[in-house]
Amino acid sequence: MTEFDRRQLLKLGAAGAALMAAPKAFAQTPKKGGTLRIGRGHGSTTDNLDPGVWENDFTIGQGFIYNNYLTEIGQDNQLAPELAESWEASPDAKQWVFKLRKGVTFHNGKDVTPEDVVASINYHRGPDSKSAAAGIVGQIEDIKADGDNVVVALSGGNADFPYIVSDYHLAIMPAADGKIDWSQGIGCGPYKITSFEPGVRATYERHKDYWKSDRAHFDAIEQIAIIDSAARTNALLTGEVDVIDRVDLKTVERLKRAPGIAVEQTNGNQHYTLPMITTMAPFDNNDVRLALKYALDREELLQKILQGYGTLGNDHPIGPANVFLAKDIEQMAFDADKAKFHLKKAGLDSLAVDLHMSEAAFAGAVDAGVLYSESAAKAGITINVVREPGDGYWSDVWMKKGWCGSYWGGRPTEDWMFSQVYQSGADWNEAFWSNERFDKLLKEGRAELDPGKRADIYREMQIICRDEGGSVIPMFSSYVFARSTKLDHGALASNWDMDGHKLIERWWFA
């Protein structure tokens, strides 16, 4: 599968070892044909085709519909080849060579070349880049085409780099004169875009020359943005759509009993966050942040918002599917006395703050805010829950207003999650948080090839996030989605919702 031998992979730790895993077979022979209609609980009028700004499940899902990547996460949640048929690294993991697959064409008929890969990755690099992926490709010092290969030189060793290039921002698009033009909406993925109305719907038709002969079983795809959970559920029940994401957990048991409907659950690293902009008062004071963390009854949210479909969060983003989750770290829990103690340390007898919430952030977000306000009141903290509209939430509220709701699908590796959201200056550092010790450990962990030493490094980083970070992370949620029983599939990946967003090429009509 790769040109790495097993001993080299072991040197790169658990993340590298995943390269050897083979995708699982389908449960049965898929059938071709039909139009798959997806009801998405996301989508905004501000959405566009720029891969650097994709940030909600409509645009992320669309990215997988019309694009391919160098690598992908398979149905077994392990790394697998996609446009790169193999890869190998130097002994210090500072240089990576990806051998590009031949015979792959873009939707406009152009062959996919190493030059396209170089231009697609370079789009996210450099001081002028506005891409949210700038942080995860910032370690690239040089990338060039060399025959059938793409050669990447890093500023330091990175045992996880083949995972990084599976990131949904790093779609491979056709290049001209060393640049990509994302506005054309041309990729080399399983389907072509035929229409796109941001915040409403998009349609796609099968790319007849798609190189994966055992994938892309549907004739066409339609994505429909249905933000309201009740409307989304009704669309599935009435047959308007074939599958929906973000099932309303308050009604999931009733949905399970509906004829012709199957409810699916996968457990990955998806988590809900309440980021505080740490450059704004009062959130620039860590004692205020700690007071708010101790003022939350997480168990109540887990049971009443997630109906038990998840696990408790501990104010760091490393989840149950990550290799280096430090399970021995003491769990942050509701403690009114500790909350009052930290308020006093901050020079406050009481605290009143706004928490901006919307169902666009996560299902049940507004109710979660209300529950939070009730527990916080016991610690002398007044939380005013501000209900925000779903449309424009990600452009007008998130990373704009002092405290709000957010969610993350998680990332396959610790370095990836930390680099993209918690590293100082990262484009998606939603709390605008900066910690010198954390940044130092981030670089050390990325280059460290000994799994034991990496575990120690990432354990300390999780503690720093919990004790000093700018985000309250109350819970990790299962992916719960529902489909018509007219649809069928094989094993389900859990790296993202709905089979890692790959249902469009892995599923079929029974």
Side-chain angles (χ1 to χ4, degrees), residues 2-237:
T2 73
E3 293 174 3
F4 247 166
D5 66 28
R6 194 170 290 273
R7 285 173 299 173
Q8 288 172 305
L9 286 170
L10 289 173
K11 288 181 181 179
L12 295 184
L19 303 182
M20 298 301 296
K24 293 179 181 178
F26 282 119
Q28 58 180 271
T29 303
K31 297 179 181 178
K32 299 289 186 181
T35 297
L36 174 66
R37 299 162 301 167
I38 306 170
R40 292 278 191 190
H42 259 168
S44 172
T45 54
T46 58
D47 291 343
N48 61 50
L49 299 176
D50 180 354
V53 300
W54 295 340
E55 43 69 35
N56 65 61
D57 278 347
F58 194 103
T59 53
I60 295 170
Q62 180 163 265
F64 287 107
I65 289 173
Y66 80 100
N67 292 290
N68 271 180
Y69 300 78
L70 280 178
T71 60
E72 67 171 327
I73 306 300
Q75 289 168 278
D76 53 5
N77 291 314
Q78 304 299 328
L79 193 68
E82 193 162 58
L83 293 180
E85 65 177 20
S86 63
W87 51 87
E88 60 180 344
S90 59
D92 59 2
K94 290 179 66 174
Q95 178 173 286
W96 290 86
V97 179
F98 295 87
K99 183 178 180 181
L100 201 63
R101 189 180 305 277
K102 293 183 178 180
V104 181
T105 60
F106 288 107
H107 301 154
N108 60 3
K110 178 186 179 300
D111 288 338
V112 177
T113 67
E115 288 75 17
D116 297 312
V117 174
V118 171
S120 296
I121 301 298
N122 277 339
Y123 175 73
H124 305 273
R125 299 178 61 218
D128 297 326
S129 173
K130 305 298 182 184
S131 172
I136 63 172
V137 298
Q139 195 186 12
I140 298 176
E141 288 193 332
D142 184 54
I143 179 171
K144 63 183 179 181
D146 181 12
D148 295 330
N149 299 329
V150 175
V151 182
V152 183
L154 306 177
S155 57
N158 189 338
D160 299 330
F161 190 72
Y163 275 96
I164 296 298
V165 292
S166 73
D167 180 67
Y168 61 83
H169 297 98
L170 305 182
I172 305 307
M173 298 179 176
D177 300 322
K179 304 287 185 181
I180 63 168
D181 181 2
W182 54 260
S183 66
Q184 297 299 308
I186 296 173
C188 60
Y191 295 89
K192 302 178 183 180
I193 298 175
T194 52
S195 69
F196 176 36
E197 187 177 354
V200 181
R201 71 179 63 225
T203 59
Y204 319 84
E205 65 180 15
R206 183 193 291 141
H207 175 31
K208 62 180 179 61
D209 294 323
Y210 191 46
W211 64 275
K212 296 182 187 179
S213 59
D214 61 342
R215 294 290 190 267
H217 308 297
F218 304 108
D219 293 329
I221 305 284
E222 181 177 14
Q223 279 203 117
I224 307 169
I226 312 175
I227 306 300
D228 181 77
S229 60
R232 196 163 60 252
T233 300
N234 190 59
L236 178 65
L237 291 171

Side-chain angles (χ1 to χ4, degrees), residues 324-356:
F324 297 114
L325 170 64
K327 298 179 181 179
D328 63 321
I329 296 176
E330 183 179 357
Q331 173 66 50
M332 184 73 73
F334 174 73
D335 191 322
D337 290 336
K338 286 184 178 179
K340 292 175 182 178
F341 169 79
H342 284 287
L343 279 185
K344 187 175 181 180
K345 281 190 67 178
L348 301 170
D349 294 322
S350 62
L351 176 67
V353 289
D354 289 341
L355 175 57
H356 301 266

